[in-house]
Amino acid sequence: MMSTDEQHPHNDHKSIVIVGGGIAGVTCASTLAGLCCDYKIHLISSSPVIKSVGNFKQRGVHLSEFDVVEKDLHQLSQEFPSICVSNCSIVGLDTERKILHTDKSEQIVYDRLCICSGAHPKLIPHSCPEYVLGIRDTSSVTDFQSKLSDSKRILIVGNGGIATELVYSIEFCEIVWVIKDDSISSTFLDEGAAKFFTKKLSTNREPRANVSKRLRYSVDVDEKTSHIPGSALGPDWDESLDLKGCSNVRKNVQIEFMTEVVEIHRAKDLSRNKYPHIKGENITETNDLIWPIYVELSNNAIYGCDFVVSATGVIPNVEPFLTGNSFKTSSEGGICVDEEMRTTEQDVYAAGDVCTADWNWADYWFQMRLWTQARQMGFYAAQCIHLHMTKGESPLLYAPFEIFTHATSFYGMKVILLGLFNGQKLINNHKILFRIQEDVEYVKVIIQDSKLKGALLIGETDLEECFENLIINQLNVSNIEDELLNPSIDIEDYFD
């Protein structure tokens, strides 16, 4: 029998069910609770730990910074009495009858449904599941930390945010970093910024200044549900973790550029004709193999290691919502939503990593599956649901979707991404201005037709608010272009 706070609101014409305990789902639920206390809101999470926004700070028109706070699931209903919660997983959805089926053989009826089930790691193809780990949520990080403590060498595949922070944060363990690009962290950084950070790969990790200590929960995981992905990690997820292996060398990073994993071999299955390709070892006999697995790369190099971290992107958690329904999905697997966060099924919305923004994007915005956009989408989905249910009105397109903004940190330094920060959507006829001070700051702005289109800011530049406004308002900067990055001039004075 379900406890009182887990009872779902059967047959209530204002019942709203939200699936997902990550940033998008919790933001959607808490926003709805604040908009109308008459709503019966039911949040369903596959994990007993949820993620919410804390220490929120507005840094510009739309640019913001916040912490991801972990909470016990039931704490949400204590903070918002109109929200009831359930710790279970969805195994089926009947959109015609508006019923969700759970793994506890329960049926949950909804009037409006918002799917915020997130995404899970897209693992590289392999036949060694015990030696390949994807990092996405708190549970997978705990597993990783345990494996790392007994490891002397690991191989990391991927070039995004998680891979970047892992390479910087891990100590006392050799790292082989395999990337398919010609520079590090190319998801966010251009080649120049990558070079700015490169030498930090061989330096010891330093604690970041002004990093808040977020509350973390430790929970017992049921073996039956341990395979269910939890909520995505937030900013500074690695800051309080002890990411140490058991090697005698504190920092040793080997990067393999422009290459990919071809195959992962168990030591006992590695063909003798491949021994000459093993890096750093002179293997002549099978008994000489010292690592449990050997990873073969597309450049013919082979590395032995203790395990592999696959950080090559994510796959939206769309199962089991698709079976028997007619959702439109995108090429990357996300559930398509329109400019009011509605899916193609009636009264079903989606937000966060599980969805794909299927509308005509603004000139300076594009979708990336980041916690920043998960919060924005969860908030906006709540606003849309509220207006649709109470007034039958359509809201104006949410303002943050007019410009891409993201604040994070790499290699212990503040990083701000604004607009078309890497020249996305721009084909030619644009110029790039730089201001670089070694180990202190890296500033790049992209200008086309005398107007700012994007910016990448590393370090404490204090330029983010001004540059965000220049991109949004598309002011002509031809008269001040030569002074735009002059550190001795307060550029904001030009626009007062």
Side-chain angles (χ1 to χ4, degrees), residues 332-343:
E332 71 271 20
I335 297 175
C336 293
V337 295
D338 64 13
E339 64 275 6
E340 296 176 27
M341 306 308 292
R342 296 173 298 196
T343 71

Side-chain angles (χ1 to χ4, degrees), residues 181-192:
D181 310 298
D182 57 4
S183 63
I184 64 173
S185 313
S186 61
T187 301
F188 299 100
L189 308 179
D190 58 28
E191 187 174 352

Side-chain angles (χ1 to χ4, degrees), residues 271-380:
S271 302
R272 286 178 176 270
N273 62 2
K274 296 186 182 293
Y275 289 179
H277 299 288
I278 298 176
K279 293 289 187 178
E281 301 172 50
N282 185 17
I283 304 297
T284 58
E285 300 292 335
T286 301
N287 291 337
D288 294 333
L289 298 173
I290 62 174
W291 303 99
I293 56 171
Y294 285 80
V295 183
E296 183 178 357
L297 306 180
S298 56
N299 62 2
N300 294 322
I302 296 177
Y303 285 92
C305 62
D306 288 301
F307 68 95
V308 175
V309 176
S310 180
T312 53
V314 297
I315 300 174
N317 291 325
V318 297
E319 296 294 343
F321 304 104
L322 302 186
T323 304
N325 299 308
S326 301
F327 287 105
K328 179 183 177 182
T329 58
S330 63
S331 58
E332 71 271 20
I335 297 175
C336 293
V337 295
D338 64 13
E339 64 275 6
E340 296 176 27
M341 306 308 292
R342 296 173 298 196
T343 71
T344 50
E345 290 286 2
Q346 185 176 359
D347 296 331
V348 180
Y349 302 72
D353 290 354
V354 73
C355 79
T356 295
D358 191 30
W359 64 74
N360 292 324
W361 296 348
D363 291 341
Y364 309 107
W365 187 88
F366 51 91
Q367 184 179 8
M368 291 184 74
R369 286 179 165 83
L370 303 166
W371 56 83
T372 305
Q373 290 189 357
R375 186 198 70 82
Q376 292 171 341
M377 287 183 170
F379 176 82
Y380 182 53

Side-chain angles (χ1 to χ4, degrees), residues 87-123:
N87 180 200
C88 59
S89 298
I90 300 302
V91 297
L93 168 61
D94 184 340
T95 55
E96 289 189 7
R97 298 172 60 203
K98 293 190 174 183
I99 294 176
L100 287 159
H101 300 273
T102 78
D103 60 349
K104 296 180 179 179
S105 300
E106 298 163 350
Q107 293 186 357
I108 299 176
V109 180
Y110 65 86
D111 183 66
R112 295 290 197 281
L113 170 66
C114 190
I115 301 171
C116 304
S117 51
H120 61 274
K122 180 170 63 178
L123 299 182

Side-chain angles (χ1 to χ4, degrees), residues 139-387:
S139 177
S140 60
V141 167
T142 302
D143 189 16
F144 166 75
Q145 194 173 3
S146 175
K147 288 180 179 292
L148 179 66
S149 63
D150 295 322
S151 301
K152 292 184 178 180
R153 182 193 291 169
I154 67 171
L155 188 138
I156 297 176
V157 187
N159 207 15
I162 287 180
T164 295
E165 283 301 279
L166 280 178
V167 172
Y168 174 68
S169 301
I170 292 172
E171 297 178 324
F172 297 105
C173 182
E174 294 181 54
I175 299 172
V176 180
W177 192 5
V178 177
I179 61 177
K180 62 181 180 180
D181 310 298
D182 57 4
S183 63
I184 64 173
S185 313
S186 61
T187 301
F188 299 100
L189 308 179
D190 58 28
E191 187 174 352
K195 290 180 179 178
F196 176 84
F197 278 131
T198 295
K199 74 175 187 177
K200 287 185 174 291
L201 295 177
S202 58
T203 61
N204 297 329
R205 173 190 182 190
E206 297 179 1
R208 301 189 188 103
N210 301 322
V211 174
S212 63
K213 301 301 180 183
R214 294 179 294 281
L215 185 60
R216 295 182 180 272
Y217 280 85
S218 176
V219 297
D220 295 326
V221 180
D222 188 329
E223 291 183 1
K224 296 180 180 179
T225 60
S226 60
H227 66 286
I228 298 172
S231 305
L233 300 167
D236 304 327
W237 61 271
D238 61 322
E239 182 62 26
S240 62
L241 297 177
D242 184 23
L243 299 180
K244 291 183 173 63
C246 61
S247 171
N248 294 325
V249 179
R250 183 167 185 178
K251 202 73 178 180
N252 186 344
V253 179
Q254 169 69 36
I255 306 177
E256 289 284 351
F257 293 102
M258 302 293 290
T259 190
E260 299 180 72
V261 172
V262 173
E263 193 170 353
I264 300 174
H265 307 271
R266 299 177 194 273
K268 63 183 180 63
D269 298 328
L270 186 65
S271 302
R272 286 178 176 270
N273 62 2
K274 296 186 182 293
Y275 289 179
H277 299 288
I278 298 176
K279 293 289 187 178
E281 301 172 50
N282 185 17
I283 304 297
T284 58
E285 300 292 335
T286 301
N287 291 337
D288 294 333
L289 298 173
I290 62 174
W291 303 99
I293 56 171
Y294 285 80
V295 183
E296 183 178 357
L297 306 180
S298 56
N299 62 2
N300 294 322
I302 296 177
Y303 285 92
C305 62
D306 288 301
F307 68 95
V308 175
V309 176
S310 180
T312 53
V314 297
I315 300 174
N317 291 325
V318 297
E319 296 294 343
F321 304 104
L322 302 186
T323 304
N325 299 308
S326 301
F327 287 105
K328 179 183 177 182
T329 58
S330 63
S331 58
E332 71 271 20
I335 297 175
C336 293
V337 295
D338 64 13
E339 64 275 6
E340 296 176 27
M341 306 308 292
R342 296 173 298 196
T343 71
T344 50
E345 290 286 2
Q346 185 176 359
D347 296 331
V348 180
Y349 302 72
D353 290 354
V354 73
C355 79
T356 295
D358 191 30
W359 64 74
N360 292 324
W361 296 348
D363 291 341
Y364 309 107
W365 187 88
F366 51 91
Q367 184 179 8
M368 291 184 74
R369 286 179 165 83
L370 303 166
W371 56 83
T372 305
Q373 290 189 357
R375 186 198 70 82
Q376 292 171 341
M377 287 183 170
F379 176 82
Y380 182 53
Q383 299 284 343
C384 293
I385 293 171
H386 172 65
L387 280 176

Side-chain angles (χ1 to χ4, degrees), residues 53-60 62-67 210:
V53 172
N55 196 29
F56 182 87
K57 297 177 182 177
Q58 199 69 39
R59 296 301 191 190
H62 304 306
L63 178 67
S64 61
E65 295 178 351
F66 58 87
D67 296 333
N210 301 322

